[in-house]
Amino acid sequence: MTVNVVNDKNFLVTINELLSDSHTVLDIGCGVGETLKNFPCPIKIGVDAHRPYLEHARYGEQFIKLNFRAERLSELFLPKSLDSVTLIDVIEHLEKAVAWDVLRQVEEIATKKVIIFTPRGFFQQLDVDHYGLGGESFQRHRSGWEVEDFQNRGYNIIIFSKFHDQENKAFLEAYGIDAQPIDALLAWKEC
């Protein structure tokens, strides 16, 4: 397990490198598909609990859209059925006990990697849906994550130093113009 610190905001470059050997990817909490569209995998599946996000995906039929809750993934996907699973800005929206169970499920589903991107520590986020699609209750942050949480489960980690700052609308709304930036964590586990 490694822990590295970078002063960069382009986390998608690293995620795409991690996905380079994956033919299939399951993106949990895909929203309207903005991040998923950038993944290099030929087969992309996006799962989101809020149907209007999937209905308003701007990227056509570039991914399979499933309206389903993360807490029940093992009901939908068989063990070792997809190469990689991503949770990009998702687990912080779940209570920690629920998130641990979701991680257990995705670790069973993936054959190659589980990749997580989340704020470091608790990032207070208000119930605001910046897409204007009625998903306010899904936007609230319910848990905070530290390096040790992932290290203890065998994940490698990159700390994106000062990632969340005043350029992030949700950060600005919650913390204001004078707040110190918050790091982000990119964690991945080989399955």
Side-chain angles (χ1 to χ4, degrees), residues 34-97:
E34 285 183 27
T35 304
L36 185 57
K37 75 176 175 81
N38 295 306
F39 293 166
C41 308
I43 299 174
K44 304 173 189 183
I45 303 169
V47 171
D48 204 284
H50 190 55
R51 186 178 182 100
Y53 291 154
L54 297 168
E55 291 171 342
H56 289 87
R58 301 179 193 138
Y59 307 104
E61 299 306 316
Q62 292 183 7
F63 67 97
I64 298 165
K65 300 166 191 78
L66 299 174
N67 180 218
F68 206 74
R69 295 193 63 90
E71 298 92 324
R72 298 176 45 218
L73 289 169
S74 61
E75 295 175 24
L76 192 59
F77 296 98
L78 296 171
K80 305 296 178 201
S81 58
L82 296 163
D83 291 337
S84 294
V85 180
T86 59
L87 298 102
I88 311 302
D89 287 323
V90 171
I91 63 169
E92 66 273 13
H93 296 272
L94 304 170
E95 297 290 339
K96 203 141 190 182

Side-chain angles (χ1 to χ4, degrees), residues 11-183:
F11 68 97
L12 284 174
V13 169
T14 304
I15 290 176
N16 284 336
E17 289 171 5
L18 292 169
L19 290 172
S20 65
D21 65 344
S22 294
H23 186 72
T24 57
V25 63
L26 169 61
D27 187 36
I28 309 302
C30 67
V32 298
E34 285 183 27
T35 304
L36 185 57
K37 75 176 175 81
N38 295 306
F39 293 166
C41 308
I43 299 174
K44 304 173 189 183
I45 303 169
V47 171
D48 204 284
H50 190 55
R51 186 178 182 100
Y53 291 154
L54 297 168
E55 291 171 342
H56 289 87
R58 301 179 193 138
Y59 307 104
E61 299 306 316
Q62 292 183 7
F63 67 97
I64 298 165
K65 300 166 191 78
L66 299 174
N67 180 218
F68 206 74
R69 295 193 63 90
E71 298 92 324
R72 298 176 45 218
L73 289 169
S74 61
E75 295 175 24
L76 192 59
F77 296 98
L78 296 171
K80 305 296 178 201
S81 58
L82 296 163
D83 291 337
S84 294
V85 180
T86 59
L87 298 102
I88 311 302
D89 287 323
V90 171
I91 63 169
E92 66 273 13
H93 296 272
L94 304 170
E95 297 290 339
K96 203 141 190 182
V98 173
W100 284 126
D101 188 58
V102 169
L103 286 179
R104 178 195 58 77
Q105 291 179 61
V106 299
E107 289 171 4
E108 291 174 2
I109 293 167
T111 61
K112 294 186 178 183
K113 290 181 189 81
V114 172
I115 302 168
I116 302 159
F117 188 76
T118 188
R120 182 179 190 181
F122 186 78
F123 177 155
Q124 180 181 334
Q125 182 164 297
L126 308 175
D127 295 3
V128 175
D129 182 351
H130 292 286
Y131 295 112
L133 297 172
E136 288 80 8
S137 67
F138 292 101
Q139 297 304 319
R140 179 184 316 131
H141 286 185
R142 294 172 173 85
S143 61
W145 298 84
E146 291 292 343
V147 169
E148 297 77 20
D149 291 318
F150 298 111
Q151 276 184 316
N152 293 338
R153 283 187 80 108
Y155 282 77
N156 297 290
I157 299 132
I158 296 175
I159 300 168
F160 283 77
S161 181
K162 301 177 182 179
F163 183 85
H164 298 286
D165 59 19
Q166 285 73 13
E167 293 178 14
N168 177 320
K169 190 173 182 180
F171 177 90
L172 188 59
E173 288 172 350
Y175 295 101
I177 194 75
D178 297 323
Q180 291 296 310
I182 295 174
D183 297 341

